[in-house]
Amino acid sequence: MKPRILFIDAYDSFSNNIVALLEIKLDVEVILLHIDAIVPELTTFLKSFIAVVVGPGPGNPRYDKDVGLMNELWRLQDDDMLPVLGICLGFQSLVLAFGGSVEPLPEPRHGIETIITLNQDSIFNGIKHIVAVQYHSLHGTLGHYIPKSPLVASIALHLWSPSKSCPDLRPLAWDFNGSDAPGKTHRTAPKNPSCILMAVKHTTKPFYGIQFHPESICSSVNCQEIVIKWWTAAKDWRRGHNHLRPKLDTQLNAATANDIFLPSLHKTTIHEECIMLDGAVTSSSASSNHMSNQAYLSTPDLEAPIESKILPIGQLTIPAICEILGMPIRDIIILDSETHQMRDIGSHSIVGIITQDTPKIEYFTGSRTVSTLVGDEKITHSLESHDNSIFNYLKAYMEDRKVNGHHTGIPFWGGLMGYITYEACLETIDIHTTNESRTNKPGLSFAFIERSIVIDHENRTVHIQSIKEYDFDWVSETYETLANYSFLGEQEIPEQHDQIRSYLSSADIQYPTESSYKAKIRACQTFIRSGDSYEMCLTNQAMIRAESTGDSPTWPLYLRLRVMNSAPFSAYVRLGPLTLLSTSPERFMSWTRPSADTTTELSSICQFRPIKGTVKKKQCHSATGETYAITLEEASALLATAKERAENLMIVDLIRHDLHGVVGPGNVIAKDLMVVEEYTDVFQLVSVIEGTLMTSTSPFLASSAEYDELVDALRNIPHKRYKKDPKSIRKLGIDVLASSLPPGSMTGAPKRRSCQLLRSIEKRRPRSVYSGVVGYMDVGGGGDFSVVIRSIFKWDNDQQGSHQNSTQSPPAENKHSTESQVRSGSTETNSQKAQCKAKDEWIIGAGGAVTVLSTEGGEWEEMQTKLASTLQLFAGQKITDAFFSITSTMPGGIEALGPHSTLELVQHDPTANAPERDLEANPPELDASANAPQKVTFDSGPELFISDSLPETLIPEKELALAKASSHKGRRISGLELGTWWTLFGVIFILIVLSIGVGVGVGVEATTRRNLTSSELSDTIPN
């Protein structure tokens, strides 16, 4: 029997990495319990373990809800005590429990690699320095006098002894580089202390704490040696106290375990066979460790042959194939790598053919049912028999349709192709949105593709294939049709210039406002500084409205976009009400078909390729203003900054956590770490993480009867969510997919807390398919999904016109969203609305990872760069600001006015009463003529001229809750009434009022922003 360690998890996104480190390096079994589990007899329960590790997590140790069980551990006395190691939040909790204090760092350290000095004593015996990664906004202090100079601090002997105010804790390690905050965001920002406490030991109890993360991929190897030394010290302490191996009283522990109450956990994964106590207790790797040796029970693999014919590619292209077969006029799914093949990716493109009898699967978020559609027939199934998990349903669906084939070089024979929206992804971490069935926008939609065409770009072949019974005739006819064209020379695809030109000429683009986006950046950084998040992937949206002709030129638009913005994971999707044109550069996850290795075990390789870190290819020379292209070497230097590396590192560590939770310890590697890749308009920082999933049997074996008895006791908790399903014993790629959504590169870390905060900051506006995934699950057992970025999409039911506008109300979850209400509105009058044609509403999402090292200007520029890569599809069209409807032929919205625009405030009608302006329902329109004062015109009432000198003045009311998070001062103007003859006086008077910060009763409402605490900001932001 292996020694057993209890791991207390604070819902962090790195916990599984720590569990894997413990199991690999210490050769132990780990059981995971969450901080909010209620254990009536904790001391009795703990007798089953030799030691406890208390992990990291978001929040502040001052708040009981953020640390939960941790506080009970520090209060253990005498024979109930056992060795405890606190990491990050666990370390801070230890410091606070024994008289120290925990304070915010002026410059938080997230994803930062630093050299840490050790006292070479206790668990640091024989180790002088380490390089360790830090993830913390708060730091512990013991009351020591801290010299201002790091050099002086490094030789101050008193720092290595307990302080008078905190005599129970002895410092073991310090970071004497703490004040050197890399990539400091503000030159005038206060520095961190000259040294930051990194480790402590209780003077009489077996309690240790470390602030840094030894499990991070970028922490040095000797960080792991520290964990080994702690384990040695823990066992020595147990020997000295006659507790070398705890005695397990099975009956007593079973009774205790049955009394444990475990709140619902965010992980709605499909680990039924794990020790999943309503998601709160797992064994070994936090989600998939201890499993029985029971054979996997499944339906036999189908022996139905795959009908296929192979054709030399000749002059055929994806557009030519689709045009020749007349596919673009109907539903179709194309995963397109033709324009951008890269090392290890982009070698194949897939055309999934959807016919009238193609089975489709639709799932709406917030529901517990799934619908299958074939033609006009629709059948709705309850998910109750699948533990209310859509992923359990998909897993069973694919297992029942598994096919054996011999074309192993082709990644797709047939299977499910489709998408999962961001909101459906959120359900996997227990963040639930409203039921979307009434909007007719599925959160998940797949078509079961039986006929497909796969293009092998490396071998230059075209595979026409079908898994449909008796479908040889279709395969042969399609082969002959394409063969007749492949040797006729390059096919010219009609671009339908007139149709595109007419469609684009009607386009009206609403662009995010700079002030609004920067306010959200500040809100993100407020939460990061409070310790609630390490990194937050903030997003925004632009909307394009174009007159619909009934048959919008979606295919010609895609052909145009794929040339403008070539990418290895492009996609054209027409499935149900969704049309998606994607030129994504980012693979989310792929997994290979299970194959036998040298031990005859079936295994599958799961790969993630997160992108974090972006540099534009075209840079502007600061002195001359000229534009020039940077080289790969120059881009690599720009992406080697602490900020860019930290962004990427945090997501890499998060993905390792997701993978470890399913594939287990020792099966995860970082194949490539922070490699710069070149794309059409940008350079990106990319990492590749792989995990080996053993699919024939569980990778974890039963170790003892005692362990089985404890597992059975824990499984019997009455609050458990999952039922044991023999079909789910084997782990497949879809298990990893379900455990890893939503994509970490679109959330931040810790994932769940960051997503909750982002939902508030983004005001619950649905990201929809943007930030979700699109791809396939193959009947042979493989799969591949990309992240939906650099994309544009529309829903058929979002068309705006005379019938829709008069009756359609915004979704309930958008009723508090300023931007959403503005976007669904228009600057047209009611009479114009009644006469207007139906309009397609296209959405483009873009954003970036916000860290404490981010600058508002840098993040705004990065968001614009990403937005522009797709928005160029509508180049030359009107750009309208999402709040103020600013019309301009220049991209950039309000910024297109230039730095020297002259703007004034005047009265349009001196006799009219000026109502207070509702900038949401009635946005002003601005006519941007070159080098002229810019007039903002309302439908009625006075005209408003805006001065560029006003500091972020026109922030809508519902933005103010976020804007208040900033210490920058600003004012909001609403409803000015100035006589025509007093215009000049009015302008001067308002500027004076703004400069001295005094509200004057002329319709000018001054609101001073102030800093808010995390809790205040949470209360202020609409939920």
Side-chain angles (χ1 to χ4, degrees):
M1 173 182 175
K2 290 183 178 180
R4 188 177 305 122
I5 289 177
L6 177 66
F7 182 80
I8 305 296
D9 181 22
Y11 295 98
D12 195 59
S13 288
F14 305 143
S15 296
N16 290 343
N17 299 334
I18 299 175
V19 172
L21 172 62
L22 296 174
E23 292 192 335
I24 294 170
K25 295 299 180 181
L26 308 185
D27 192 27
V28 296
E29 291 173 327
V30 179
I31 289 180
L32 183 147
L33 190 68
H34 282 96
I35 54 171
D36 49 1
I38 301 174
V39 186
E41 296 183 32
L42 179 63
T43 55
T44 303
F45 179 74
L46 291 176
K47 293 186 185 300
S48 299
F49 306 94
I50 286 185
V52 179
V53 176
V54 180
N60 191 313
R62 294 180 182 278
Y63 304 131
D64 289 341
K65 65 180 179 62
D66 289 336
V67 291
L69 283 174
M70 296 183 193
N71 288 336
E72 296 187 46
L73 293 173
W74 311 130
R75 289 193 287 265
L76 294 175
Q77 299 292 331
D78 303 327
D79 291 342
D80 294 330
M81 274 194 302
L82 74 171
V84 182
L85 173 65
I87 300 176
C88 199
L89 182 64
F91 159 83
Q92 295 169 5
S93 175
L94 171 62
V95 169
L96 200 62
F98 290 97
S101 63
V102 175
E103 302 169 355
L105 281 170
E107 293 291 334
R109 308 175 75 76
H110 294 298
I112 302 301
E113 308 158 52
T114 62
I115 298 174
I116 295 173
T117 303
L118 317 174
N119 71 345
Q120 302 187 65
D121 188 18
S122 186
I123 62 174
F124 299 123
N125 183 33
I127 308 174
K128 186 175 182 180
H129 297 287
I130 58 172
V131 175
V133 174
Q134 299 178 40
Y135 290 109
H136 61 111
S137 300
L138 313 175
H139 72 117
T141 64
L142 304 180
H144 292 92
Y145 165 73
I146 304 297
K148 292 184 178 181
S149 167
L151 179 60
V152 175
S154 65
I155 60 175
L157 297 180
H158 73 281
L159 293 178
W160 300 102
S161 302
S163 67
K164 291 183 179 180
S165 59
C166 190
D168 293 329
L169 297 179
R170 180 162 62 90
L172 298 180
W174 293 88
D175 178 359
F176 294 111
N177 304 292
S179 60
D180 298 330
K184 191 175 291 294
T185 56
H186 306 287
R187 291 182 180 178
T188 58
K191 287 185 175 182
N192 285 338
S194 61
C195 56
I196 299 174
L197 185 64
M198 285 289 117
V200 297
K201 177 189 181 302
H202 196 282
T203 55
T204 59
K205 297 181 179 182
F207 297 159
Y208 298 80
I210 56 176
Q211 176 65 77
F212 54 88
H213 283 244
E215 83 289 351
S216 174
I217 190 69
C218 285
S219 288
S220 58
V221 176
N222 53 5
C223 288
Q224 301 174 12
E225 188 179 344
I226 293 168
V227 177
I228 297 173
K229 290 179 180 294
W230 165 78
W231 178 236
T232 301
K235 290 187 294 184
D236 289 344
W237 189 90
R238 296 303 295 252
R239 289 189 185 97
H241 291 74
N242 296 319
H243 293 303
L244 175 60
R245 180 162 300 189
K247 301 294 184 180
L248 176 63
D249 184 334
T250 303
Q251 298 302 318
L252 183 58
N253 277 282
T256 302
N258 280 314
D259 291 332
I260 299 175
F261 173 73
L262 299 137
S264 175
L265 171 68
H266 60 275
K267 274 292 182 188
T268 55
T269 53
I270 45 184
H271 306 310
E272 298 83 353
E273 75 293 350
C274 305
I275 311 168
M276 208 68 177
L277 309 178
D278 194 20
V281 175
T282 66
S283 142
S284 200
S285 276
S287 61
S288 61
N289 291 342
H290 180 72
M291 296 189 271
S292 71
N293 288 318
Q294 179 180 359
Y296 174 71
L297 304 176
S298 67
T299 55
D301 294 347
L302 300 179
E303 296 296 335
I306 301 173
E307 301 286 0
S308 67
K309 282 188 171 250
I310 303 175
L311 175 71
I313 196 169
Q315 299 298 320
L316 290 174
T317 62
I318 287 179
I321 290 171
C322 294
E323 292 284 349
I324 290 166
L325 299 178
M327 294 178 184
I329 63 174
R330 59 174 185 254
D331 280 5
I332 190 172
I333 300 175
I334 303 171
L335 305 180
D336 179 7
S337 299
E338 185 173 68
T339 62
H340 196 112
Q341 289 105 52
M342 299 177 61
R343 177 176 60 92
D344 298 332
I345 58 174
S347 59
H348 294 84
S349 296
I350 302 171
V351 179
I353 299 170
I354 299 176
T355 62
Q356 184 66 22
D357 61 348
T358 296
K360 299 176 184 176
I361 297 173
E362 286 187 349
Y363 168 77
F364 292 89
T365 59
S367 67
R368 294 193 173 185
T369 60
V370 59
S371 298
T372 55
L373 302 87
V374 179
D376 295 330
E377 183 181 358
K378 179 178 180 179
I379 302 175
T380 300
H381 314 270
S382 171
L383 290 173
E384 185 175 355
S385 61
H386 298 280
D387 302 322
N388 292 316
S389 167
I390 182 60
F391 293 99
N392 279 350
Y393 176 86
L394 294 176
K395 183 178 181 180
Y397 186 94
M398 290 301 294
E399 283 298 301
D400 289 341
R401 290 159 179 79
K402 189 176 180 184
V403 171
N404 281 329
H406 303 289
H407 300 288
T408 56
I410 300 301
F412 183 79
W413 300 330
L416 292 176
M417 297 181 72
Y419 65 85
I420 307 172
T421 66
Y422 177 75
E423 282 66 41
C425 293
L426 287 178
E427 290 192 336
T428 68
I429 54 174
D430 205 30
I431 297 177
H432 298 281
T433 58
T434 55
N435 191 316
E436 292 184 340
S437 58
R438 60 189 177 81
T439 66
N440 196 30
K441 298 176 184 178
L444 176 152
S445 182
F446 285 94
F448 186 74
I449 301 298
E450 297 173 293
R451 294 173 173 175
S452 60
I453 298 173
V454 177
I455 298 89
D456 184 339
H457 298 295
E458 289 185 356
N459 297 309
R460 296 191 57 75
T461 54
V462 179
H463 297 249
I464 302 102
Q465 55 188 12
S466 174
I467 57 173
K468 205 172 184 179
E469 285 187 308
Y470 313 115
D471 207 23
F472 181 77
D473 288 346
W474 176 84
V475 172
S476 297
E477 290 171 6
T478 304
Y479 174 89
E480 294 297 333
T481 301
L482 294 178
N484 291 334
Y485 283 89
S486 64
F487 302 107
L488 293 179
E490 187 173 352
Q491 303 299 307
E492 183 176 344
I493 306 302
E495 294 189 9
Q496 300 171 281
H497 291 296
D498 291 341
Q499 185 183 12
I500 292 179
R501 187 179 298 110
S502 174
Y503 189 75
L504 295 182
S505 65
S506 69
D508 180 16
I509 303 172
Q510 291 186 337
Y511 200 81
T513 63
E514 181 176 5
S515 59
S516 169
Y517 194 70
K518 287 183 175 180
K520 294 174 182 178
I521 294 169
R522 293 193 292 272
C524 287
Q525 290 183 323
T526 297
F527 284 120
I528 292 172
R529 291 180 183 279
S530 69
D532 288 293
S533 179
Y534 315 143
E535 172 180 29
M536 301 176 70
C537 298
L538 179 66
T539 71
N540 215 323
Q541 296 176 351
M543 188 183 72
I544 300 93
R545 298 178 62 196
E547 290 186 4
S548 174
T549 59
D551 184 20
S552 303
T554 57
W555 176 246
L557 286 174
Y558 173 70
L559 296 182
R560 181 178 182 182
L561 182 63
R562 76 194 287 266
V563 173
M564 290 178 171
N565 195 24
S566 63
F569 297 102
S570 296
Y572 177 76
V573 177
R574 287 190 65 175
L575 182 59
L578 177 73
T579 300
L580 169 67
L581 320 179
S582 176
T583 53
S584 173
E586 181 174 355
R587 165 180 283 159
F588 170 55
M589 175 197 171
S590 68
W591 65 93
T592 61
R593 296 189 184 104
S595 60
D597 60 15
T598 56
T599 63
T600 71
E601 291 280 354
L602 290 177
S603 63
S604 179
I605 303 300
C606 304
Q607 183 188 92
F608 292 78
R609 297 186 87 258
I611 291 178
K612 267 289 162 267
T614 304
V615 171
K616 289 192 300 184
K617 276 188 172 180
K618 293 183 178 180
Q619 299 284 324
C620 181
H621 197 284
S622 58
T624 64
E626 296 179 354
T627 301
Y628 66 97
I630 63 173
T631 65
L632 177 62
E633 291 73 20
E634 291 171 326
S636 298
L638 292 173
L639 290 170
T641 63
K643 173 188 176 295
E644 303 294 347
R645 286 181 58 84
E647 284 185 17
N648 198 284
L649 172 59
M650 282 186 262
I651 302 306
V652 169
D653 279 342
L654 182 151
I655 288 173
R656 291 173 59 239
H657 160 89
D658 289 339
L659 264 175
H660 274 130
V662 183
V663 307
N667 296 311
V668 178
I669 63 169
K671 184 178 179 182
D672 289 318
L673 189 61
M674 304 187 204
V675 175
V676 179
E677 291 183 351
E678 182 176 2
Y679 294 88
T680 304
D681 298 314
V682 296
F683 292 98
Q684 307 254 218
L685 200 59
V686 182
S687 293
V688 179
I689 304 96
E690 291 185 348
T692 301
L693 178 66
M694 310 305 291
T695 59
S696 56
T697 59
S698 164
F700 309 106
L701 303 178
S703 59
S704 69
E706 277 189 350
Y707 192 94
D708 288 335
E709 290 169 350
L710 178 60
V711 167
D712 290 338
L714 295 176
R715 277 198 180 118
N716 289 330
I717 290 176
H719 302 280
K720 67 180 181 180
R721 178 184 308 173
Y722 303 105
K723 296 179 181 179
K724 194 167 179 69
D725 178 2
K727 278 195 174 185
S728 297
I729 289 177
R730 181 170 69 161
K731 289 298 176 224
L732 300 175
I734 189 173
D735 293 271
V736 181
L737 176 69
S739 297
S740 305
L741 292 170
S745 61
M746 303 306 297
T747 63
K751 184 182 286 187
R752 186 171 186 253
R753 181 73 68 94
S754 296
C755 287
Q756 290 172 326
L757 297 174
L758 286 166
R759 286 262 297 159
S760 292
I761 292 171
E762 295 177 3
K763 293 176 289 189
R764 300 184 181 274
R765 172 196 289 154
R767 294 187 184 182
S768 194
V769 71
Y770 169 68
S771 296
V773 296
V774 61
Y776 69 83
M777 287 178 271
D778 171 53
V779 291
D784 202 348
F785 284 83
S786 64
V787 183
V788 182
I789 55 175
R790 316 293 198 276
S791 305
I792 180 170
F793 66 92
K794 74 178 181 74
W795 298 93
D796 290 346
N797 42 312
D798 268 356
Q799 285 186 341
Q800 295 291 311
S802 57
H803 300 292
Q804 288 91 342
N805 274 340
S806 60
T807 61
Q808 188 177 29
S809 61
E813 68 174 7
N814 284 344
K815 65 184 179 180
H816 298 298
S817 172
T818 299
E819 295 168 77
S820 295
Q821 290 176 357
V822 172
R823 283 211 316 276
S824 62
S826 173
T827 57
E828 299 161 330
T829 63
N830 291 332
S831 60
Q832 288 173 320
K833 287 181 181 179
Q835 300 173 6
C836 73
K837 298 180 180 179
K839 289 192 174 185
D840 292 332
E841 287 191 355
W842 292 94
I843 301 296
I844 303 175
V850 178
T851 70
V852 73
L853 300 179
S854 298
T855 63
E856 294 176 19
E859 291 300 325
W860 168 249
E861 182 180 353
E862 179 178 342
M863 190 275 291
Q864 286 186 303
T865 297
K866 294 174 179 177
L867 202 58
S869 67
T870 309
L871 197 58
Q872 63 180 326
L873 182 63
F874 296 88
Q877 306 311 310
K878 293 183 293 182
I879 304 292
T880 354
D881 182 276
F883 292 106
F884 308 114
S885 297
I886 298 167
T887 304
S888 171
T889 56
M890 296 172 286
I894 195 168
E895 287 70 35
L897 298 177
H900 304 296
S901 301
T902 304
L903 304 166
E904 304 172 80
L905 291 161
V906 298
Q907 176 84 1
H908 174 68
D909 181 1
T911 63
N913 293 325
E916 182 163 334
R917 294 291 161 246
D918 184 349
L919 296 182
E920 299 175 20
N922 186 23
E925 184 170 331
L926 203 141
D927 181 15
S929 55
N931 301 321
Q934 306 302 313
K935 179 187 292 184
V936 184
T937 309
F938 291 94
D939 291 341
S940 61
E943 297 173 347
L944 176 65
F945 284 73
I946 313 167
S947 171
D948 276 357
S949 62
L950 300 181
E952 301 183 13
T953 52
L954 296 178
I955 300 177
E957 179 66 29
K958 292 173 183 176
E959 289 291 318
L960 288 179
L962 297 175
K964 289 178 182 178
S966 168
S967 59
H968 299 290
K969 294 184 178 180
R971 306 290 184 267
R972 183 170 65 87
I973 297 179
S974 88
L976 287 168
E977 296 186 26
L978 298 176
T980 304
W981 297 102
W982 295 93
T983 297
L984 181 60
F985 171 78
V987 171
I988 297 173
F989 180 73
I990 289 174
L991 291 177
I992 293 173
V993 169
L994 291 174
S995 65
I996 64 175
V998 179
V1000 179
V1002 288
V1004 177
E1005 180 184 344
T1007 303
T1008 304
R1009 304 173 192 167
R1010 60 180 179 87
N1011 284 321
L1012 294 181
T1013 65
S1014 174
S1015 58
E1016 288 175 320
L1017 188 56
S1018 300
D1019 293 337
T1020 308
I1021 297 176
N1023 291 321

